[in-house]
Amino acid sequence: MINTKPNTKLKFLLFLVLLVSFFSCEKEESLTFQKRTISIDDFFNCETVDCAITEIFLVESLGEKEVSKNINSAIEKAACATLNIDDHSSINTMEGALKSFNTSYQEMKREFPEEIIPFEASVNCDISFQNPDILSVLIDSYIFTGGAHGSGNSKYLNLSPKTGKIIDNKKLIKDYDYFLNFVQEKFRKINSIPENALINSTGFFFENNTFSLPENIGFTDTHIILLYNQYEISSYAEGPIELKFKKEEVADYFAVQIL
């Protein structure tokens, strides 16, 4: 006689296997991060050689998987760009960028030994927002290489947690022109620019008098940040200009899940 009773033990074992596989996949796909401090003393003997003043904190993804390597490479490359004062755009490692930065300082000091003030570089990276669809990293930097004042800058880097690759702003947004018009309307209202007036009529300097979104679109747990850095659309004295929108207000404009 054929036994048609369900094999409860077999079903239970199958359930356990599927459950373990599910949580294993979840564990494999999760990303964890730590802060890494990089000192200029790692590359120069600053007890015998005059060094620039640096403070570098990179955030890095833990693990040996390709996605973690891609994330770390993208963050380091973006952080290096803040130190490339000699247009060495090919320098993509913090070691190379710090060596170049310090060498530039030493060369300047040799040329103007009585006048030069030590160069300064500060870079700090933080995870601004993270979910299964997007990883938003904030990179704050301050660079001083002489003159009346240094230069502060903030950059949002949006990455795919699945690949570790950078997500271009236009791929983040469903209808770029529609979102641009929405933001322009809010921008005009906040800055008291009449609807029919040129966007630069109150002192801004958008290129060709045409409103544009900033390069920096960032995410927090509660808001979307549109950030124009100093000199981008206004003078240094005005400082950075930031627009904040509650996520619920603009979530439908985005092609990725941001809530």
Side-chain angles (χ1 to χ4, degrees), residues 122-136:
S122 173
V123 180
N124 183 61
C125 304
D126 284 300
I127 303 298
S128 177
F129 177 70
Q130 179 183 1
N131 76 4
D133 278 357
I134 189 168
L135 173 69
S136 193

Side-chain angles (χ1 to χ4, degrees), residues 23-135:
F23 283 107
S24 295
C25 290
E26 288 292 307
K27 186 175 181 181
E28 287 176 3
E29 291 176 4
S30 64
L31 295 170
T32 55
F33 296 88
Q34 70 176 11
K35 275 287 186 75
R36 178 163 66 104
T37 303
I38 302 176
S39 172
I40 201 162
D41 298 90
D42 296 338
F43 314 114
F44 294 91
N45 183 354
C46 295
E47 293 183 1
T48 59
V49 177
D50 195 12
C51 292
I53 301 168
T54 65
E55 192 174 58
I56 311 295
F57 302 102
L58 295 186
V59 66
E60 63 179 10
S61 175
L62 300 177
E64 295 299 321
K65 295 206 168 200
E66 193 68 23
V67 60
S68 291
K69 293 178 181 178
N70 289 340
I71 288 170
N72 294 339
S73 176
I75 292 174
E76 185 166 6
K77 182 176 179 180
C80 287
T82 66
L83 298 177
N84 290 337
I85 59 175
D86 294 326
D87 295 325
H88 293 156
S89 57
S90 61
I91 299 178
N92 295 327
T93 66
M94 189 52 69
E95 177 180 352
L98 276 176
K99 285 180 176 179
S100 176
F101 185 80
N102 199 61
T103 298
S104 295
Y105 165 60
Q106 291 172 343
E107 290 173 351
M108 187 72 72
K109 185 173 177 61
R110 281 194 293 271
E111 189 171 352
F112 305 101
E114 304 299 324
E115 302 175 21
I116 190 68
I117 300 173
F119 285 9
E120 293 183 40
S122 173
V123 180
N124 183 61
C125 304
D126 284 300
I127 303 298
S128 177
F129 177 70
Q130 179 183 1
N131 76 4
D133 278 357
I134 189 168
L135 173 69

